[in-house]
Amino acid sequence: MATLILLNKPFNVLCQFTDNEGRSTLADFVGQSSVYPAGRLDYDSEGLVLLTDDGQLQHRIASPRQKMPKTYWVQVDGEIDDAALERLEKGVDLKDGPTRPATARHLGEPEIWPRHPPVRYRANVPTSWIELTITEGRNRQVRRMTAAVGFPTLRLIRRAVGDWSIDNLAPGESRSLSIHLPAAAAKTSRGQGRPRAKKRNR
């Protein structure tokens, strides 16, 4: 049985447990030892970080081969149009190659927590929100994708990875699940099927 922790990482928190520059890290929010992030989330991004004490589960979540969907709420500079969303869905050319097809849709401003510090406000420049789901995890990929179609990212929140989400988690809050890996999956490096999750009483 593996432990999986779902953390809603606040803005300007490093996705690691130590830092020699005095910045906030995961250690400020996760008290359990011997867990490690399954994938990364940028310092200036917010939202779901998954941590586990099981290397097999960590691999299944983070490996690009698994193509696990990651869903983001993205505030962009300007009123994004359907043409830009279509380009995001088909894939855009980045310096490290074209992106895989994605799912993108307009999103009304979500009911979420205020960010500190807030996004810069300019009265003469509107902003808009989209929901973007990708199946890869290149460095700062979402930000580069929206910039490539002409709408730079202002705020980025990872809402979900696979079936796990930050629903009912305030920034800095976490919950712990017990994951039962199928026996066959535990014997392979790639694994098959999806892990089943059960809440652990806290």
Side-chain angles (χ1 to χ4, degrees):
M1 183 182 297
T3 295
L4 182 69
I5 295 175
L6 284 63
L7 169 69
N8 186 351
K9 185 187 84 68
F11 181 66
N12 281 358
V13 172
L14 285 175
C15 199
Q16 59 194 48
F17 281 90
T18 60
D19 179 58
N20 56 13
E21 299 180 18
R23 292 171 292 184
S24 183
T25 71
L26 298 178
D28 297 319
F29 305 97
V30 178
Q32 185 168 339
S33 61
S34 302
V35 293
Y36 306 93
R40 313 293 290 181
L41 188 62
D42 293 331
Y43 179 70
D44 54 352
S45 297
E46 308 161 70
L48 183 61
V49 172
L50 299 175
L51 304 99
T52 181
D53 59 356
D54 185 275
Q56 176 66 27
L57 180 58
Q58 183 183 38
H59 171 80
R60 294 181 67 192
I61 294 171
S63 174
R65 295 176 181 175
Q66 303 298 326
K67 299 182 180 179
M68 185 168 284
K70 303 174 183 68
T71 299
Y72 297 85
W73 287 343
V74 192
Q75 184 181 17
V76 298
D77 202 1
E79 291 282 359
I80 193 166
D81 53 27
D82 291 339
L85 293 181
E86 185 176 354
R87 289 180 61 193
L88 291 172
E89 291 197 319
K90 289 182 176 179
V92 295
D93 289 324
L94 303 178
K95 288 184 178 180
D96 51 356
T99 62
R100 292 175 184 162
T103 300
R105 68 179 183 91
H106 292 283
L107 183 69
E109 184 172 353
E111 295 183 4
I112 52 173
W113 56 92
R115 200 189 77 175
H116 301 289
V119 171
R120 182 181 73 251
Y121 173 75
R122 293 179 294 173
N124 60 332
V125 179
T127 69
S128 53
W129 286 84
I130 64 170
E131 183 178 86
L132 180 65
T133 300
I134 62 176
T135 56
E136 47 189 340
R138 306 185 204 179
N139 184 44
R140 299 182 74 79
Q141 179 175 341
V142 171
R143 296 177 187 277
R144 291 192 291 146
M145 287 177 70
T146 66
V149 299
F151 296 88
T153 291
L154 299 174
R155 187 177 182 187
L156 181 60
I157 300 170
R158 185 158 67 195
R159 181 188 172 272
V161 176
D163 293 331
W164 299 299
S165 77
I166 56 169
D167 289 354
N168 301 315
L169 287 177
E173 290 186 346
S174 65
R175 63 174 174 265
S176 181
L177 309 176
S178 295
I179 303 296
H180 302 271
L181 289 174
K187 295 178 182 179
T188 65
S189 60
R190 296 186 181 182
Q192 299 292 330
R194 297 293 302 277
R196 294 175 296 167
K198 180 177 67 176
K199 277 193 175 182
R200 171 181 292 178
N201 293 329
R202 300 187 67 192

